[in-house]
């Protein structure tokens, strides 16, 4: 297929990379935020000797988790749209992902789904357990 007969829209590299790596970056960022907030909660508990819950840190943790989960959803949606724009196949189960752009879009869909579930599983224990208890 030459460039003159190719009617498929071009997908920008920025869209490809965000779809491919946006969820991974969100998952890593949540891990770092989890470490920092948990460290802060445990430090306060160890210094004061009181095991009371800190609602402001817990709320901050849930807000960050929600924002990063929404980023993972956006990355997955963009990856899916990129794949639809680049693929000749209309069924994702029959896709062969020919070419770098189509592969990045196809992989981004599955990376976003997998790490989106990972974000939920990393953020869920904070709703049930004390942050510091979970760390020990």
């Amino acid at each position: 297929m030459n460039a003159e007969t190719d009617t498929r829209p071009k997908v920008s590299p920025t869209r490809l990379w965000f779809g491919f790596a946006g969820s991974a970056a969100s998952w890593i960022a949540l891990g770092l935020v989890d470490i920092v907030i948990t460290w802060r909660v445990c430090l306060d508990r160890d210094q004061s000797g009181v095991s009371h819950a800190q609602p402001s840190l817990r709320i901050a943790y849930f807000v960050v988790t929600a924002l990063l989960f929404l980023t993972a959803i956006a990355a997955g949606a963009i990856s899916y749209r990129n794949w639809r724009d680049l693929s000749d196949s209309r069924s994702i189960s029959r896709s062969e992902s020919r070419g770098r752009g189509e592969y990045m879009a196809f992989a981004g869909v599955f990376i976003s789904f997998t790490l989106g579930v990972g974000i939920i599983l990393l953020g869920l224990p904070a709703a049930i357990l004390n942050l510091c208890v979970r760390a020990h």
Side-chain angles (χ1 to χ4, degrees):
M1 189 181 292
N2 64 30
E4 294 174 3
T5 61
D6 189 9
T7 59
R8 289 182 293 179
K10 288 295 247 176
V11 175
S12 74
T14 304
R15 275 182 47 195
L16 276 175
W17 278 107
F18 177 74
F20 184 74
S23 295
S26 295
W27 186 69
I28 291 168
L30 183 59
L32 295 173
V33 166
D34 182 63
I35 290 169
V36 169
I37 289 179
T38 302
W39 168 76
R40 183 69 186 151
V41 168
C42 292
L43 181 67
D44 285 349
R45 189 188 88 172
D46 292 343
Q47 287 178 348
S48 68
V50 179
S51 64
H52 66 301
Q54 293 185 347
S56 61
L57 288 175
R58 188 177 288 260
I59 290 169
Y61 186 79
F62 287 125
V63 167
V64 169
T65 301
L67 290 175
L68 292 174
F69 182 66
L70 290 175
T71 302
I73 290 173
I78 287 173
S79 287
Y80 184 73
R81 186 173 55 174
N82 291 344
W83 175 79
R84 295 287 293 190
D85 288 345
L86 295 172
S87 178
D88 291 332
S89 175
R90 290 295 157 215
S91 171
I92 202 161
S93 64
R94 295 177 187 226
S95 178
E96 294 181 11
S97 299
R98 297 179 182 160
R100 182 181 75 85
E102 189 176 345
Y103 173 77
M104 286 178 70
F106 183 74
V109 171
F110 291 104
I111 291 169
S112 295
F113 176 76
T114 304
L115 293 181
V117 170
I119 289 170
I120 290 171
L121 293 177
L122 184 59
L124 190 61
I128 301 167
L129 301 173
N130 183 327
L131 290 174
C132 197
V133 169
R134 183 177 60 121
H136 292 298

